[in-house]
Amino acid sequence: MSRTSNRADGDIVQDFLSVADLLEEPQLAQLYAYLAREGEATVQNVMDDLKLAQGTAYSYVNRLVDAGVVDVTDDEQPRRYAAREIDLTVTTAAGDREYTITPALIDAVGRRETNADIDTYIDRHGVAGLATALTYAVARDRGEVTHRLMAEDLDISPLAAEMILQALRPVVHEHYEIEEAGAGLEELAIDGDGADDA
């Protein structure tokens, strides 16, 4: 579902409205993220792995199919479903920044109901703010930034930055290739200037 400039405006609007449902309802986001991780799954798999009642599982899967973000990959019973790739760039209402809606961001939103730190962060900063925090979480795990740099850049407390970075860490490791960076920036920040005492 990547968007390019040759798409009709109506298609882009419809795609955005479909994705907006995922961002508004954590249960749908969680289901989408599950299907994206698994590759393919049946409704029974969804019921077992996400602990959903049969009626709820069918309802959610059908809503995602109707929205065009999940495809039926096998019509034989039991039907199998797979998530479509989502890569949609939107601009905030204020027009001051863009962010990209990706499976990783949808996964983070899906964890809102089970992670109070993500829930609080979305309440305070919105999904656009969470997208920015996710970018910092990836950079932090790659050893490129610290929670203090994030806090300074975003004008939030270092504690708030650390809390959201920790909350997003499982999402980062689920969706991004992260190589161990040895002595990262966090160690330098803890040690002061990094100079040897000897």
Side-chain angles (χ1 to χ4, degrees), residues 58-135:
Y58 274 103
S59 173
Y60 286 174
V61 168
N62 288 334
R63 284 180 65 191
L64 294 179
V65 169
D66 291 345
V69 295
V70 166
D71 290 323
V72 178
T73 59
D74 187 353
D75 269 331
E76 298 295 318
Q77 294 298 331
R79 285 189 176 141
R80 300 188 68 74
Y81 301 88
R84 284 182 158 188
E85 179 74 22
I86 294 176
D87 186 0
L88 183 66
T89 300
V90 296
T91 303
T92 59
D96 57 349
R97 62 185 161 147
E98 287 187 347
Y99 65 99
T100 302
I101 300 169
T102 62
L105 179 60
I106 294 168
D107 188 2
V109 170
R111 295 173 192 236
R112 179 177 193 169
E113 288 198 333
T114 58
N115 189 304
D117 293 330
I118 291 175
D119 187 48
T120 299
Y121 201 86
I122 292 173
D123 283 345
R124 292 183 181 159
H125 306 282
V127 172
L130 185 67
T132 301
L134 184 58
T135 301

Side-chain angles (χ1 to χ4, degrees), residues 24-40:
E24 289 295 319
E25 296 188 50
Q27 302 91 344
L28 292 179
Q30 183 182 39
L31 175 55
Y32 173 85
Y34 168 80
L35 291 172
R37 269 193 312 274
E38 295 298 312
E40 282 188 345

